[in-house]
Amino acid sequence: MDVSPLVAEAKAGDREALISLIMDQKQEYYKLAYAYMGNRDDALDAVSEMALILWDNIHKLKDNTLFYSWSKTILVN
């Protein structure tokens, strides 16, 4: 799936586009967060925090095709 158009929309301020991007990979985000956090509540908090950071910083993403690797890096950090 080419995520570039959705990422471009999210960069333009479309919250629904960002939500769509996140929801498309929600299981992968949760699994990654759970692997690092070790419990359900902390993993869900980490994913929520990641979503906020993505919204605040999506304009910094230079290559739209790298959205998912960028977002997972933010989640891990």
Side-chain angles (χ1 to χ4, degrees), residues 29-49:
Y29 289 133
Y30 175 75
K31 287 177 187 177
L32 181 61
Y34 189 84
Y36 277 86
M37 304 306 282
N39 84 36
R40 180 182 181 276
D41 293 331
D42 289 343
L44 292 173
D45 286 344
V47 173
S48 295
E49 184 69 23

Side-chain angles (χ1 to χ4, degrees), residues 21-76:
L21 287 163
I22 293 169
M23 295 305 288
D24 187 50
Q25 296 288 315
K26 66 183 176 185
Q27 287 297 97
E28 287 77 14
Y29 289 133
Y30 175 75
K31 287 177 187 177
L32 181 61
Y34 189 84
Y36 277 86
M37 304 306 282
N39 84 36
R40 180 182 181 276
D41 293 331
D42 289 343
L44 292 173
D45 286 344
V47 173
S48 295
E49 184 69 23
M50 176 206 66
L52 293 173
I53 293 170
L54 292 178
W55 177 251
D56 289 339
N57 294 292
I58 194 156
H59 65 279
K60 295 179 182 177
L61 178 62
K62 294 178 182 168
D63 184 350
N64 291 355
T65 62
L66 299 177
F67 175 80
Y68 287 119
S69 61
W70 176 69
S71 62
K72 289 176 182 177
T73 301
I74 289 172
L75 179 60
V76 168

